[in-house]
Amino acid sequence: MIYTITLNPAIDKIIEVDGHLTKKKTNRVRKHEYDLGGKGLHVSNVMNQFGVENTALGFIGERNERLMLKILDEKGIHHQLIREPDKETRECIVILDDSKDGSTMITGAGFEISYERFGKLLSFIQKKVQEEDVVVVAGSLPPDMCMTQFEQLLMQIKQTSCFLACDLSGDALKKAVEVGVDFIKPNQHEIQDLELPKDVPLIGQLEQLARNIQYVVVSLGEKGCYMAHKDSIYKIMAPAVEEVNDTGAGDVFVGAFIAQLAKRAPLETMIRYAVGCSASKVTHRNCTDFDIEHAKSLFQQIKIKQVEVEQNALS
Ligand code: TA6
């Protein structure tokens, strides 16, 4: 089984404005819609598209539960979210305008998780997760969740010896690297959070991380990504597509990669699906949609090159 964990779930509100989004101007809304939000939930949605069975874990605020459940239902997300009474699932605002240079995102803070409810998640993991399972922990942490608590979660998952993938940033990413996980996907800015030696170039940093982590991906946006696996590092060039909304592209990458991992596909196939689906995602207006056939049609344009690791890059 594959489990995704979204500690800080969200409802995305996509707002389309006329013209270019401008300060000191009344920006008129052309249309708006609600979409699934939260990184782990997005990953679940991607795996559904690949027909990979999965269960979304995490929390849901009671106050706006109806809307969230409706969205989850429409997307066919199988979940066992734990209800936090008297709390509201955050809204993340995604603004699209006519500039065609990406979306603007304003994320809500989210709600605090009680010890009782957090304990429920830990005991679910202890009872259900098996060695052959995959757990994906993705997205920001709820306000006030301390690193000791987060470490407790990671250790509970690690105790099962399952494959643990993390899409995190900041201190949470640092903690994941410290305890040792199987997959990380920081972008070129988030990798700075790890405070690796500044004089070591990116390739050297990747090599260092890959000594303890099976798959290390550093995403470079529309330029593609680097991936380190076993003793090799690959530079992957993304296909050129017309960008409409880049929000969610990273989640699609992770979902497609893990779906292929679950299908035991070879590394090259995992990479092509992850990069192709992510590129397809940015051509769509909402934060979740992508098209597997479109992704396949982009495979030829995805260039994978093994990087020669020079000795001086590793010092
Ligand atoms: O990656 C896109 C997204 O999952 C949005 O749907 C939005 O809800 C946001 O990320 C949440 O990000 P965060 O890092 O705050 O968990």
Side-chain angles (χ1 to χ4, degrees):
M1 177 53 100
I2 301 185
Y3 296 99
T4 63
I5 300 183
T6 310
L7 294 170
N8 198 7
I11 294 169
D12 283 356
K13 184 171 185 178
I14 305 171
I15 297 176
E16 240 179 78
V17 298
D18 276 333
H20 288 199
L21 181 69
T22 315
K23 276 186 191 167
K24 296 187 183 179
K25 181 196 130 188
T26 303
N27 296 284
R28 303 264 174 216
V29 174
R30 193 160 48 215
K31 59 177 170 187
H32 80 268
E33 67 182 83
Y34 288 108
D35 195 1
L36 187 65
K39 294 195 180 342
L41 292 167
H42 276 192
V43 171
S44 276
N45 178 56
V46 177
M47 284 190 292
N48 283 355
Q49 310 307 310
F50 279 100
V52 173
E53 202 187 331
N54 70 89
T55 299
L57 305 177
F59 304 92
I60 181 169
E62 186 190 34
R63 276 197 223 142
N64 52 352
E65 187 185 41
R66 270 180 64 180
L67 175 57
M68 186 64 170
L69 290 175
K70 181 170 173 271
I71 296 169
L72 289 164
D73 195 41
E74 278 167 9
K75 297 282 179 193
I77 307 286
H78 178 259
H79 61 88
Q80 295 210 21
L81 300 175
I82 299 163
R83 181 198 290 124
E84 192 65 63
D86 208 26
K87 294 284 161 65
E88 189 170 279
T89 297
R90 66 184 168 145
E91 272 192 6
C92 292
I93 312 286
V94 181
I95 305 173
L96 301 175
D97 66 6
D98 294 329
S99 61
K100 299 224 158 122
D101 58 0
S103 51
T104 303
M105 202 157 146
I106 303 166
T107 57
F111 57 85
E112 288 158 28
I113 312 296
S114 62
Y115 271 106
E116 190 193 334
R117 248 68 63 180
F118 185 68
K120 276 192 179 175
L121 177 63
L122 294 183
S123 68
F124 180 96
I125 293 164
Q126 191 190 23
K127 283 195 204 120
K128 299 277 181 177
V129 179
Q130 312 278 315
E131 190 175 347
E132 59 278 14
D133 293 342
V134 175
V135 175
V136 184
V137 181
S140 59
L141 304 191
D144 287 359
M145 178 171 281
C146 64
M147 277 308 124
T148 317
Q149 212 182 346
F150 184 57
E151 182 171 0
Q152 213 185 341
L153 171 71
L154 294 180
M155 295 314 290
Q156 186 73 69
I157 301 167
K158 273 177 69 81
Q159 262 177 32
T160 67
S161 302
C162 70
F163 184 97
L164 172 54
C166 287
D167 185 8
L168 303 162
S169 58
D171 287 345
L173 171 64
K174 241 164 114 177
K175 184 55 78 187
V177 171
E178 192 186 305
V179 305
V181 298
D182 301 297
F183 172 99
I184 56 169
K185 189 203 67 67
N187 63 32
Q188 56 201 310
H189 308 294
E190 288 163 348
I191 195 172
Q192 308 304 328
D193 296 339
L194 295 174
E195 292 166 16
L196 297 163
K198 290 249 181 313
D199 53 337
V200 177
L202 183 61
I203 298 298
Q205 295 183 343
L206 252 112
E207 198 275 343
Q208 277 185 20
L209 290 167
R211 286 178 204 162
N212 301 315
I213 301 170
Q214 272 196 64
Y215 298 96
V216 180
V217 179
V218 176
S219 55
L220 310 169
E222 71 268 24
K223 292 207 187 93
C225 62
Y226 282 105
M227 173 172 296
H229 178 58
K230 295 196 171 152
D231 291 330
S232 303
I233 296 181
Y234 306 91
K235 169 101 206 276
I236 299 130
M237 316 281 236
V241 289
E242 193 172 322
E243 181 174 324
V244 180
N245 177 7
D246 56 323
T247 298
D251 306 336
V252 171
F253 183 105
V254 177
F257 190 88
I258 300 294
Q260 293 306 313
L261 180 90
K263 288 173 185 260
R264 302 190 194 287
L267 182 67
E268 188 185 327
T269 309
M270 285 154 72
I271 293 173
R272 289 197 191 282
Y273 273 105
V275 175
C277 290
S278 180
S280 171
K281 156 73 226 19
V282 305
T283 66
H284 287 79
R285 236 182 39 79
N286 72 8
C287 301
T288 43
D289 288 351
F290 67 98
D291 179 349
I292 296 178
E293 289 312 311
H294 181 209
K296 285 190 193 163
S297 75
L298 299 170
F299 277 7
Q300 281 236 311
Q301 288 182 56
I302 300 169
K303 305 284 175 235
I304 306 173
K305 211 177 92 194
Q306 191 158 352
V307 179
E308 291 297 327
V309 184
E310 289 170 26
Q311 223 34 52
N312 64 3
L314 307 178
S315 52

